C-alpha cells in the first residue's frame, strides 16, 4: 500500500469532504481515505497495482473539486 496526500481546492465544507471520501472508497484498490476541509487535502492509502494516482485525481475532479496533485512541503518544491 502507498499513501499519498493530495491538494484539494474549492473544498468548503465537511459535506464535500465526505462526498469525496465516499467516491474514492468505491475505487478499486483504495483502502483508506481522509479528507480535511480545513487544510484542503486528501490523504489516500491505495494499492498502486490496482489503481493509480491519476485515477484518484480524476475521481476528485469528477466530484467537482480542483485537484492540485500531491501536496509537497514548500522546502521540497523549489
Amino acid at each position: 500500500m502507498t499513501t499519498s496526500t493530495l491538494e484539494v481546492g474549492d473544498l468548503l465544507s465537511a459535506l464535500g469532504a465526505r462526498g469525496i471520501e465516499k467516491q474514492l472508497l468505491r475505487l478499486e484498490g483504495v483502502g483508506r481515505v481522509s479528507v480535511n476541509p480545513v487544510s484542503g487535502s486528501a490523504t489516500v492509502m491505495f494499492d498502486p497495482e490496482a489503481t493509480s494516482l491519476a485515477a484518484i485525481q480524476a475521481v476528485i475532479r469528477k466530484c467537482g473539486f480542483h485537484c492540485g496533485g500531491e501536496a509537497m512541503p514548500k522546502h521540497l518544491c523549489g
Side-chain angles (χ1 to χ4, degrees), residues 17-37:
R18 184 66 184 136
I20 292 172
E21 288 174 352
K22 288 174 78 173
Q23 292 302 314
L24 286 174
L25 287 170
R26 292 181 178 176
L27 191 60
E28 184 177 341
V30 172
R32 272 205 233 171
V33 179
S34 176
V35 180
N36 186 329

Side-chain angles (χ1 to χ4, degrees), residues 1-73:
M1 292 294 244
T2 299
T3 302
S4 183
T5 300
L6 303 164
E7 292 181 20
V8 180
D10 305 323
L11 188 57
L12 302 174
S13 72
L15 290 175
R18 184 66 184 136
I20 292 172
E21 288 174 352
K22 288 174 78 173
Q23 292 302 314
L24 286 174
L25 287 170
R26 292 181 178 176
L27 191 60
E28 184 177 341
V30 172
R32 272 205 233 171
V33 179
S34 176
V35 180
N36 186 329
V38 175
S39 67
S41 66
T43 302
V44 184
M45 183 184 294
F46 65 99
D47 178 358
E49 293 187 22
T51 193
S52 67
L53 201 51
I56 291 168
Q57 290 173 316
V59 169
I60 293 171
R61 288 187 196 106
K62 187 177 178 183
C63 289
F65 298 96
H66 173 75
C67 185
E70 285 191 274
M72 300 287 283

